Amino acid sequence: MPHHDLTESAHAQLAEWQPPDDRQERLRVQYLAHLESHGRAALSKGGPPEHLTASCVVLSEDLAETLLCFHRKGKFWVQFGGHLEESDASLADGARREAREESQVAALELLGDVPFDLDRHALSGGWTCAEHLDVGFVAVLPRAAAFAVTDESEALAWWPVSAIPEDSADGLADRVARARRHAALLLEGRASHEQASR
């Protein structure tokens, strides 16, 4: 079960996060209430049927493509992500670990530790969980980076952001679009900062 520090870190991050719209604000309030009701169990696969997870949308450097995995159990294309673990110090750490494990890209880094969205979705058809309260982060990876399939997926592939596969997880196209907008703002901010510091 995730340790106490992760519970505090997750609560603090969600409390401080500035949602981009009213829908995301409603989810933020729901996530905080869930954490306050269940404590550390809210972050554990062994806790209540609904729990927080962390995921990572991986984009190419030009933000035109996204690296997805075809989930072995779910039978759909989806971003990297999953349950939090004892070793995770934060939601961002959990997202980074999952992305590295599922892509086998050890050097993968998040584009900042601020979430780009929240996505609450029900699960059905043989899952032990009833609902995931997912927190999404974004990473940028060179298109030529070597990746590998793991036992959790049947395939990994780059897909155009504008042409997410039809057999993908519900809402994935919208999440990838949000991740792309978030990444573009972060990269623009970095470029402006670097130019100003010259």
Side-chain angles (χ1 to χ4, degrees), residues 6 14 24 90 103 153 194:
L6 177 55
L14 290 170
Q24 291 286 300
S90 67
S103 69
S153 59
E194 289 172 4

Side-chain angles (χ1 to χ4, degrees), residues 58-152:
V58 176
L59 298 168
S60 56
E61 290 177 306
D62 62 0
L63 308 185
E65 295 179 89
T66 183
L67 182 63
L68 301 176
C69 63
F70 192 78
H71 200 281
R72 188 176 298 276
K73 186 174 180 181
K75 301 298 181 187
F76 48 59
W77 290 97
V78 69
Q79 81 278 14
F80 303 110
H83 297 99
L84 296 157
E85 295 185 359
E86 185 76 33
S87 59
D88 299 329
S90 67
L91 295 169
D93 280 348
R96 181 188 300 107
R97 174 187 51 74
E98 285 286 337
R100 287 178 174 179
E101 289 175 358
E102 294 179 0
S103 69
Q104 294 294 290
V105 181
L108 186 148
E109 288 293 343
L110 300 183
L111 196 60
D113 59 1
V114 176
F116 73 87
D117 85 341
L118 307 179
D119 184 69
R120 185 170 189 165
H121 51 272
L123 302 171
S124 59
W127 300 85
T128 55
C129 317
E131 195 174 24
H132 282 174
L133 284 67
D134 192 57
V135 183
F137 296 83
V138 66
V140 169
L141 192 67
R143 185 68 173 73
F147 54 80
V149 172
T150 68
D151 59 1
E152 291 190 31

